[in-house]
Amino acid sequence: MKFGFLSKIFEGALSIEKTYNECDKALSELRAYNQKRKAANGTLSPEEKAELDAVVNTAIENATRIIDKEGERQWPGVFREMHKNLADIYLELDRHDKVREACERLQAYGTVGKQFADEVMQSLNEKEENESA
């Protein structure tokens, strides 16, 4: 008996869980860095910056890889969460165009997706108001 399909399902589940964890780690580290930077004009050493960049880039790459399966898989909750993770990461990175793009895609995921998009856009608007003040 072949269990190839089961291993693909299990592998996909592990990849999704791993990506959730990577996104959480990236967000946590970005938020900590941004708070440190605002509070004490903190900077990172080149090694710390490279490590932060690697964590963030890995999270973005893997979340994007999962999102790229939108036409192939029926994982609406997973896709919605990955768009939300990307929107949050891009918000911390001050990549406002990417935040808006992720929020537009979130709108397609029902009431919860719209709520997520509204929350992120509200945070973005507040951030832009603070920057212009």
Side-chain angles (χ1 to χ4, degrees), residues 113-129:
K114 289 176 185 172
Q115 288 173 336
F116 284 166
D118 289 345
E119 290 169 9
V120 174
M121 287 304 297
Q122 182 177 356
S123 295
L124 176 61
N125 290 336
E126 290 170 5
K127 192 172 197 174
E128 288 177 335
E129 286 173 11

Side-chain angles (χ1 to χ4, degrees), residues 61-120:
E61 287 172 18
N62 289 337
T64 301
R65 189 173 297 129
I66 289 173
I67 287 172
D68 287 344
K69 296 186 183 302
E70 277 181 302
E72 303 169 21
R73 306 283 187 186
Q74 295 299 315
W75 301 336
V78 171
F79 298 136
R80 181 186 63 231
E81 294 294 325
M82 290 302 157
H83 286 299
K84 171 76 163 77
N85 286 333
L86 286 173
D88 288 336
I89 289 170
Y90 291 136
L91 183 64
E92 292 299 321
L93 291 171
D94 290 325
R95 297 196 52 201
H96 299 184
D97 56 331
K98 292 286 198 175
V99 174
R100 287 183 182 89
E101 182 181 312
C103 287
E104 283 178 29
R105 294 186 73 186
L106 266 170
Q107 297 285 333
Y109 289 96
T111 304
V112 175
K114 289 176 185 172
Q115 288 173 336
F116 284 166
D118 289 345
E119 290 169 9
V120 174

